[in-house]
Amino acid sequence: MFSSDTPIFQFRGPFGVPVEIGASILFLAFIFLFPFTTGADLIDNLIFFALILLAIFLHEMGHAWGTIIQGHAVKRVVIYGGGGFCEGTKVLSRSDEEFVVIMGPLVNLGLWALSSLAVPYADNLGWITVGDYFYWFADINFFLFCLNMIPVQPLDGGKLLYLTLRRWYDRGLCIRIAGGIGLLFAVLWIPAMIYAYLTLGYLLLFMPSIPLHLRMFQGKAA
């Protein structure tokens, strides 16, 4: 919902990729930090917030690497209040796009595995606080992996569903099938968001578009 907001900071990331930080990041920071103004809680929330941004950034750099390694250019990577996206300079072939799309979730899965392995190592060395941070980072990356693999647009799972269907079916039928599956998940997203907030304390700033998936299911979306 914040994917077109104004950049407040820009820099060159790995591989020379332009990276933009959207103004809506400030809104996300406010949500995380407002309840805690002083003390250890504020420090912990600052670190947790920084780990979320790092996980999103590395996810998008996974997409960027997948683009560059195949000989294509990356226009920019954007990190904003609702997540992030990697924008290329041209339309890719189906096989190239499949590789680019899957690299983001695979980076999160790899970071989850490495961080999980580091937790007991840090604890055994007496780095209890550092072990907690590795544990947090593992949880964040596993959550991002699972979230991004849900088959709705514009998440990676929705893109992979469409690209996989394109291996066997024509474009129009693939849009309708992906739209129908995405519509089901988009409708279920509302009670799932409420449940996640009430039981886990997770507040998602992203919700898939029900009208978009309905148009796809009806064959009206491009």
Side-chain angles (χ1 to χ4, degrees), residues 81-158:
F85 62 88
C86 175
E87 184 179 355
T89 58
K90 69 174 186 177
V91 177
L92 304 180
S93 66
R94 179 190 55 77
S95 59
D96 285 359
E97 188 173 1
E98 280 182 344
F99 184 75
V100 170
V101 171
I102 195 60
M103 280 309 303
L106 285 182
V107 165
N108 290 130
L109 193 62
L111 291 171
W112 162 75
L114 292 174
S115 299
S116 298
L117 290 172
V119 171
Y121 178 77
D123 288 345
N124 289 337
L125 292 178
W127 301 343
I128 305 301
T129 301
V130 177
D132 287 343
Y133 298 155
F134 279 121
Y135 180 81
W136 293 352
F137 199 52
D139 270 3
I140 290 167
N141 278 282
F142 187 71
F143 175 77
L144 287 178
F145 170 77
C146 294
L147 176 68
N148 275 280
M149 292 306 294
I150 297 174
V152 296
Q153 298 291 334
L155 297 182
D156 296 327

Side-chain angles (χ1 to χ4, degrees), residues 19-39:
V19 179
E20 299 179 1
I21 307 298
S24 56
I25 280 292
L26 300 176
F27 175 73
L28 186 62
F30 176 80
I31 292 177
F32 271 88
L33 305 178
F34 175 73
F36 308 99
T37 55
T38 59

